[in-house]
């Protein structure tokens, strides 16, 4: 198979929203459920999923998040190269920053959700208003999300 080109179809916004919801539920489950048993580790696992989800070389994920896989979406690099861990981190740090900050006891529990909310609003506005649906993370990583057949 050939790599998708940067001219491929822009992802449907509703599909992106559902994919993001699935991925955030996974990250929350990792953070909360593991956090119940091992508090500090739960937050780290949730943030790690958000950061790495588009670059993991796991067959069932196919270098995209579980939400994107289920919704038949794929993040692609505009230069045509394959997604990798570094690109995934560059693409997703704005979404993981709140979780990372919230690991800090007390102060992080207040600042983390506020930082997360600010970035979620910025990212959402860009997905809705950018001609290619590119959010801040896409601009940092030189990526965009496209629709694929599977």
């Amino acid at each position: 198979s050939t790599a998708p080109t940067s001219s491929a179809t822009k992802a449907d916004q509703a599909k992106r929203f559902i994919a993001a919801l699935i991925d955030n539920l996974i990250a929350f489950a990792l953070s909360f459920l593991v956090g119940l048993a091992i508090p500090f580790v739960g937050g780290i696992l949730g943030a790690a999923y958000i950061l790495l989800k588009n670059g993991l070389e796991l067959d069932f994920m196919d270098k995209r998040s579980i939400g994107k896989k289920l919704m038949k979406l794929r993040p692609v690099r505009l230069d045509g190269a394959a997604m990798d861990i570094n690109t995934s981190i560059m693409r997703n740090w704005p979404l993981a920053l709140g979780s990372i900050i919230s690991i800090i006891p007390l102060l992080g529990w207040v600042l983390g959700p506020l930082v997360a909310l600010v970035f979620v609003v910025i990212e959402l506005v860009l997905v809705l208003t950018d001609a290619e649906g590119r959010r801040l993370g896409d601009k940092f990583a030189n990526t965009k999300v496209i629709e694929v057949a599977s």
Side-chain angles (χ1 to χ4, degrees), residues 7-23:
S7 64
T9 305
K10 171 184 150 183
D12 178 75
Q13 293 171 342
K15 287 183 180 181
R16 280 189 80 173
F17 176 79
I18 293 167
L21 187 62
I22 292 166
D23 291 328

Side-chain angles (χ1 to χ4, degrees), residues 25-45:
L25 287 172
I26 291 168
F28 176 77
L30 285 169
S31 296
F32 184 73
L33 297 176
V34 174
L36 287 175
I38 315 167
F40 186 71
V41 175
I44 292 171
L45 285 177

Side-chain angles (χ1 to χ4, degrees), residues 1-5 74 76 80 146 148:
S1 72
T2 58
T5 64
R74 177 177 296 283
V76 294
I146 61 169
V148 292

